[in-house]
């Protein structure tokens, strides 16, 4: 059987690809299991960055409505099981402590929005349309949607969007701070791969430190965070390549007649 999510690696870039495009990559039990398998393959690979993208014209419609409707009286149990397995896979993905880039096009709804926002850098096509979707079904959210939205756009906007399940276009998502860049749909994947290559040349320890600092910034007092910043930059400065980069930067500045590189 064809996997509904597959993992491929090229050099230092690993790609997690949603592969259920005939139904808008809707989240089914098979997709959840294949996502978990693909994340484990990523974990055992040499990838320095993960690129998440989807086949077809839509990134993800969210939960597979036909499957859920067919669950009948077992709907609550099935939703609970799918949510638990999805959350385990997404937690595992985030815990890899390497950068995650996501390229998303077309409809990005419900659990699909959660998968997209699990990334560190979200790139959208100009065709993108994002929605939480859940409230239209009388449901709250899963896949980390409320977690990410609250941190990205604030409590009031997050609650409003969750309640109303409106669609937001790519430009609005960029303005809200949900996404970082927008590209024409035909260029999205190649541009995303370029970003992934750029990031893969960096230091994993540096990324891990930066993600930690950003995550803790909302928890610490100003003084606590200044202390943590100082401790972290001192640890990173002990690496041999930092001294080499300083010398390289200095040499480049001299070549440019003392102007900053």
């Amino acid at each position: 059987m064809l996997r509904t999510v597959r993992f491929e690696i090229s050099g230092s870039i690993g790609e997690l690809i949603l592969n259920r495009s005939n139904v808008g990559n809707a989240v089914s039990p098979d997709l959840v299991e294949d996502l978990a398998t693909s994340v484990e393959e990523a974990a055992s690979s040499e990838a320095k960055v993960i690129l998440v993208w989807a086949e077809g014209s839509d990134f993800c419609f969210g939960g597979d409505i036909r499957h859920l409707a067919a669950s009948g009286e077992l709907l609550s149990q099935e939703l609970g099981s799918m949510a638990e397995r999805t959350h385990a896979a997404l937690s595992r993905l985030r815990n890899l402590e390497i950068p995650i880039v996501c390229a998303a096009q077309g409809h990005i709804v419900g659990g699909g929005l959660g998968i997209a926002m699990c990334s560190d850098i979200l790139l959208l096509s100009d065709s993108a349309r994002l929605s939480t979707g859940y409230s239209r079904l009388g449901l709250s959210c899963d896949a980390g949607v409320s977690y990410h939205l609250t941190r990205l756009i604030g409590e009031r906007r997050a609650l409003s969007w969750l309640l109303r399940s409106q669609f937001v276009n790519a430009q609005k998502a960029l303005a809200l701070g949900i996404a970082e860049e927008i590209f024409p749909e035909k260029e999205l994947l190649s541009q995303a791969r370029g970003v992934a290559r750029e990031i893969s040349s960096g230091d994993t320890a540096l990324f891990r430190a930066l993600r930690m600092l950003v995550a803790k910034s909302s928890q610490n007092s100003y003084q606590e965070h200044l202390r943590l910043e100082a401790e972290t930059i001192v640890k990173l400065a002990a690496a041999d390549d930092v001294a080499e980069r300083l010398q390289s930067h200095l040499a480049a500045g001299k070549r440019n007649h003392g102007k900053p590189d």
Side-chain angles (χ1 to χ4, degrees):
M1 293 179 62
L2 291 175
R3 281 171 51 175
T4 58
V5 182
R6 67 182 190 271
F7 176 73
E8 298 176 356
I9 188 163
S10 176
S12 59
I13 300 173
E15 299 189 3
L16 281 174
I17 306 161
L18 306 186
N19 188 36
R20 202 175 179 233
S21 59
N22 60 314
V23 287
N25 296 304
V27 180
S28 65
D30 286 343
L31 188 141
V32 172
E33 292 302 324
D34 289 345
L35 175 62
T37 299
S38 295
V39 170
E40 288 305 320
E41 290 173 352
S44 62
S45 75
E46 297 298 319
K48 293 186 66 177
V49 59
I50 299 295
L51 172 61
V52 182
W53 60 278
E55 300 277 9
S57 58
D58 296 288
F59 181 75
C60 181
F61 280 168
D64 189 327
I65 302 298
R66 288 187 179 181
H67 170 75
L68 294 174
S71 300
E73 295 180 355
L74 299 176
L75 174 60
S76 294
Q77 293 175 243
E78 182 61 10
L79 269 174
S81 175
M82 288 177 63
E84 181 179 359
R85 288 177 288 167
T86 301
H87 295 173
L90 293 179
S91 293
R92 178 69 167 133
L93 179 61
R94 289 290 295 183
N95 287 335
L96 295 182
E97 295 189 326
I98 57 177
I100 304 167
V101 178
C102 179
Q105 76 284 0
H107 287 82
I108 309 161
V109 182
L113 181 60
I115 293 171
M117 291 193 300
C118 183
S119 62
D120 299 294
I121 298 176
L122 175 55
L123 310 174
L124 297 177
S125 73
D126 51 10
S127 67
R129 298 183 74 232
L130 301 78
S131 177
T132 56
Y134 298 95
S135 66
R136 288 194 294 269
L137 303 173
L139 295 171
S140 57
C141 48
D142 62 357
V145 170
S146 60
Y147 177 91
H148 293 298
L149 274 184
T150 302
R151 283 155 178 77
L152 289 170
I153 67 176
E155 291 185 14
R156 288 177 64 87
R157 281 178 171 168
L159 182 56
S160 174
W161 200 14
L162 287 166
L163 284 170
R164 301 173 70 189
S165 291
Q166 296 168 304
F167 275 93
V168 168
N169 63 24
Q171 291 292 343
K172 183 66 177 293
L174 183 67
L176 287 171
I178 295 170
E180 279 64 54
E181 291 186 74
I182 301 171
F183 298 102
E185 187 164 338
K186 291 182 179 180
E187 299 177 15
L188 177 65
L189 185 55
S190 62
Q191 292 284 356
R193 283 174 171 154
V195 171
R197 283 193 298 272
E198 174 190 342
I199 296 173
S200 69
S201 64
D203 188 340
T204 302
L206 172 61
F207 169 77
R208 188 162 52 243
L210 291 174
R211 182 190 269 178
M212 179 273 294
L213 286 171
V214 171
K216 289 186 177 294
S217 64
S218 62
Q219 306 168 15
N220 292 339
S221 69
Y222 182 56
Q223 294 299 326
E224 288 171 338
H225 205 71
L226 288 177
R227 183 168 58 251
L228 183 60
E229 284 188 335
E231 292 172 355
T232 304
I233 199 170
V234 166
K235 288 179 181 177
L236 290 174
D240 293 338
D241 67 322
V242 172
E244 293 172 3
R245 290 187 188 194
L246 288 171
Q247 291 299 327
S248 176
H249 194 77
L250 182 61
K254 289 180 179 179
R255 288 195 299 270
N256 291 322
H257 307 290
K259 296 178 181 180
D261 186 27

